Amino acid sequence: MTQDPTDSKPARSGWRTRTLLTHEGIRRSQFGELSEAIFLTQAFAYPSAEAAEARFTGEDPGFIYARYGNPTVAMFEDRLAALEGAEACFATASGMAAVSAAILSQVQAGDRVVASKALFGSCLYILENLLPRYGVETIFVDGADLDAWRAAFKGGARTAFIETPANPTLDLVDIRAVSALAHEAGATLIVDNAFASPIFQHPLRLGADVVVYSATKHIDGQGRVLGGAVLGTTKFIRETLEPFIKHTGGALNPFSAWLLLKSLETLDLRVRAQAEAAALLAEALAGSPKLTKLVYPGRADHPHHAVAKAQMEGGGTMLSVEVADQAAAFRVMNALRIFTISNNLGDAKSIVTHPATTTHQRLTPEKRAELGVSPGLLRLSAGLEDPEDLVEDFQTALKAV
Ligand SMILES: *Cc1c(COP(=O)(O)O)cnc(C)c1O
C-alpha cells in the first residue's frame, strides 16, 4: 500500500509467534470492535481539498485507493510481515500475482534469471514461456546441485527463483548456499515458501531477499479464498514492487484479506497439528511393501535431510509416496475415504493429488521423468482430522493395490 501509516509505527514488541498472530497489525476503528473489521471500500473520503492534496503528495500518510492499500489488507500485511520477520509486505490477489510481480518488477530485457527446475507449473510458465517474450532468459538448474548454481551464475543474473520443498517431489534447495552464490553474482534470491509455510521456514533469516506466498494454501488453510503476499525490505517493497503492483492491479480484495487475517490467528496451531499428522503418516507408511518410495522432509531418510535440519523448523504438512504405476495410484485414490482427491494443499481437509495427470499434466513424459513425477507418485497434504484416522484410511486404501 502507498504511504503505509505503519511505516511510522514503533518497532515490534518482541512478542512470540502465537501472540503476534492474534494481535499484530490490528487497526481499531472509532467503534472499538474486538474482532478486526472488514473495510469493504474501494476509495477513501477526504475532509477537504487540501487534505486530498496532502494524501496524494504523501505528506499525510493515509489510504487513497484499494488497489494501493486498504485498512483490512494492511492489517494482514503487517501481521504476516511480523511473522516472517520482514520489514514490509504487499498482499496480492493470488499466489501467482505475488510470484509474477516479485519477478517482473525486477527484470528488464537483456536480464538473466536462474531458477531451480522443480517448480509449481504456473511459476514455470512465467520463467519458461513468458519471460523470453520480453527478452529475459531463464537458466534452469537442479536445485540441489550447488556446482550447477555456481556455473549458471557465471554469466551474471538479475534474480534467482527457488521453491523449497519443491512440488511434488519435496526436494530441498539449500537457501543459505544459493543466496550466497546469488549475492556474489549480484543477483537477488526469491523464495516461494508456500510448501514449508511461514511456521517452519524463514528464508529471509537464511539470506534470501524476497519471500513469496500463495496464501491460498496454509495461510487460508480452509479452502475458501485465493491470496498471496510478497515480503522483503521496505526499500524493495516500496520502491520496486509497489509501483509494479499498484499499476498492474494484482491487489488483494478486503474480504479475502479479512479471511486470511483471521486465519493467521490459528495458523501456528493448524500447521503444527497438520505436520504432526504428516509425520505420523510417514512413520506408519514407511517400509510398506506396497510403496516404492516415501519422501518426507522430517525423516532422516530424506535425500536432503541435512538441509532440512539446517533450514526447516519442522518436517512440514506434505509427503509424497510412490506406488507401482498409475493404475495402482488411481486404485489407492479411489479407495480413500477421508483423503479428498483435489489439487489444493495445506488445507484442514487431507488431500491426495496425482501430479502426473493433474498439476503436471502439461509437461511431456520426459520432463515429468526428469522432475521425478512418476506415474505412481501421489502427493499427500495432511489435514486437521484425527491422525490415527488418516493412517487407517491410507493403510486400508493401500490394500487395494
Ligand atoms: C499454489 C502455489 C502457487 C500459486 O498460488 P495461487 O494462490 O494458486 O495463485 C505458487 N507456488 C506454489 C509453490 C504453490 O503451491
Side-chain angles (χ1 to χ4, degrees):
M1 49 166 293
T2 328
Q3 318 302 340
D4 186 346
T6 60
D7 281 353
S8 55
K9 254 187 10 179
R12 289 188 184 101
S13 51
W15 283 332
R16 291 170 182 81
T17 300
R18 287 188 194 168
T19 312
L20 62 86
L21 283 176
T22 38
H23 292 278
E24 184 68 41
I26 193 160
R27 288 159 165 80
R28 288 209 164 87
S29 78
Q30 71 271 35
F31 301 114
E33 65 282 353
L34 172 63
S35 175
E36 295 80 349
I38 314 176
F39 292 93
L40 273 182
T41 182
Q42 306 148 338
F44 299 84
Y46 314 108
S48 65
E50 290 78 9
E53 183 185 23
R55 201 67 69 81
F56 273 76
T57 59
E59 251 168 86
D60 171 19
F63 296 98
I64 292 175
Y65 191 55
R67 178 150 42 76
Y68 304 176
N70 167 287
T72 312
V73 176
M75 288 192 255
F76 170 65
E77 290 169 336
D78 286 351
R79 197 165 288 178
L80 187 59
L83 173 63
E84 196 66 44
E87 286 175 12
C89 172
F90 203 108
T92 55
S94 68
M96 285 320 303
V99 169
S100 57
I103 298 170
L104 292 169
S105 66
Q106 295 192 65
V107 297
Q108 60 185 43
D111 280 347
R112 295 165 89 241
V113 177
V114 185
S116 52
K117 58 187 168 193
L119 295 176
F120 183 73
S122 299
C123 300
L124 267 182
Y125 171 82
I126 290 176
L127 294 163
E128 205 170 24
N129 302 78
L130 192 64
L131 290 186
R133 286 167 43 191
Y134 300 96
V136 178
E137 181 195 12
T138 304
I139 295 132
F140 290 99
V141 298
D142 172 351
D145 183 348
L146 291 178
D147 288 333
W149 281 104
R150 220 168 266 124
F153 280 128
K154 278 250 165 67
R158 174 74 60 185
T159 189
F161 186 89
I162 62 172
E163 182 187 318
T164 178
N167 177 28
T169 53
L170 306 180
D171 286 332
L172 304 187
V173 181
D174 185 335
I175 298 174
R176 263 195 204 94
V178 173
S179 65
L181 292 173
H183 295 160
E184 263 171 46
T188 57
L189 176 66
I190 308 170
V191 178
D192 182 338
N193 207 35
F195 265 56
S197 89
I199 300 301
F200 289 134
Q201 187 165 268
H202 294 91
L204 298 177
R205 292 181 203 159
L206 299 166
D209 304 281
V210 178
V211 176
V212 290
Y213 283 106
S214 166
T216 315
K217 312 293 168 52
H218 296 93
I219 294 176
D220 176 13
Q222 288 144 95
R224 302 163 301 186
V225 294
L226 291 172
V230 185
L231 299 111
T233 61
T234 301
K235 185 173 162 56
F236 171 75
I237 297 293
R238 301 272 91 88
E239 292 175 17
T240 304
L241 186 91
E242 180 180 303
F244 182 90
I245 300 192
K246 249 166 72 168
H247 302 300
T248 53
L252 180 63
N253 78 76
F255 181 70
S256 296
W258 177 77
L259 281 168
L260 295 170
L261 174 66
K262 298 304 284 179
S263 290
L264 284 179
E265 295 181 339
T266 56
L267 181 71
D268 188 76
L269 295 166
R270 284 185 288 109
V271 169
R272 286 185 192 282
Q274 289 171 242
E276 265 175 45
L280 190 81
L281 259 169
E283 190 61 39
L285 300 177
S288 162
K290 306 274 174 110
L291 298 181
T292 48
K293 195 157 71 176
L294 181 147
V295 190
Y296 181 60
R299 282 178 63 83
D301 60 5
H302 186 286
H304 310 131
H305 185 65
V307 176
K309 273 183 76 172
Q311 69 188 26
M312 292 181 73
E313 291 145 47
T317 66
M318 306 294 299
L319 64 152
S320 290
V321 296
E322 189 189 60
V323 289
D325 51 25
Q326 181 174 319
F330 276 25
R331 273 201 296 280
V332 173
M333 290 173 86
N334 292 333
L336 286 164
R337 296 177 57 214
I338 300 173
F339 277 88
T340 307
I341 301 171
S342 182
N343 44 294
N344 196 11
L345 64 97
D347 199 85
K349 293 180 171 51
S350 289
I351 288 170
V352 59
T353 312
H354 186 246
T357 53
T358 59
T359 54
H360 291 67
Q361 189 193 134
R362 196 174 65 85
L363 306 180
T364 62
E366 295 74 41
K367 187 89 197 205
R368 277 198 292 271
E370 189 192 327
L371 294 177
V373 182
S374 63
L377 190 76
L378 292 172
R379 186 186 82 184
L380 306 180
S381 168
L384 286 174
E385 302 93 340
D386 190 302
E388 301 285 350
D389 285 338
L390 295 178
V391 169
E392 276 173 29
D393 192 35
F394 211 85
Q395 281 174 336
T396 308
L398 271 185
K399 295 200 179 106
V401 177

